[in-house]
Amino acid sequence: MTLFDAAQEGAIYGSVHPDDAAGISQRVRDTSTNPVDLGDTDLVTITVQTSSPACLGGWVQVTVNYDHVMFMPFFSGTIIPLHATVTDTILSPICP
């Protein structure tokens, strides 16, 4: 749930700031530190894609990937790749 919520938060921001990939990624990273620390760049990657042109009526897609490391007997150290992708409609700016 944390990954989906974070991707949704980034997509919402991206719907009004589609050209700000760094800002979208930062918005995703700022949404959670527990139970998943999205600020950990070794375990979490964020991909932002937009339609061309990135303007009203287009789309912004945010994907969050997280390599979950298991910490339980017999599975300790096992990595489970998790991901969430959200696509939103761009609301601003108006297309030229």
Side-chain angles (χ1 to χ4, degrees):
M1 192 64 143
T2 298
L3 295 183
F4 179 80
D5 290 344
Q8 182 66 54
E9 184 67 27
I12 290 169
Y13 178 82
S15 70
V16 292
H17 302 284
D19 293 330
D20 184 11
I24 294 169
S25 293
Q26 191 60 50
R27 192 71 169 243
V28 170
R29 292 193 184 283
D30 290 344
T31 60
S32 177
T33 57
N34 192 15
V36 177
D37 182 6
L38 295 177
D40 185 342
T41 56
D42 291 332
L43 297 177
V44 179
T45 58
I46 301 164
T47 305
V48 178
Q49 296 179 307
T50 60
S51 59
S52 182
C55 58
L56 181 65
W59 53 268
V60 59
Q61 184 177 71
V62 179
T63 301
V64 182
N65 296 297
Y66 171 64
D67 290 333
H68 177 68
V69 181
M70 299 288 289
F71 293 106
M72 54 190 304
F74 306 112
F75 296 106
S76 184
T78 300
I79 296 175
I80 299 174
L82 304 172
H83 74 276
T85 300
V86 173
T87 304
D88 254 343
T89 302
I90 295 174
L91 303 175
S92 171
I94 295 173
C95 294

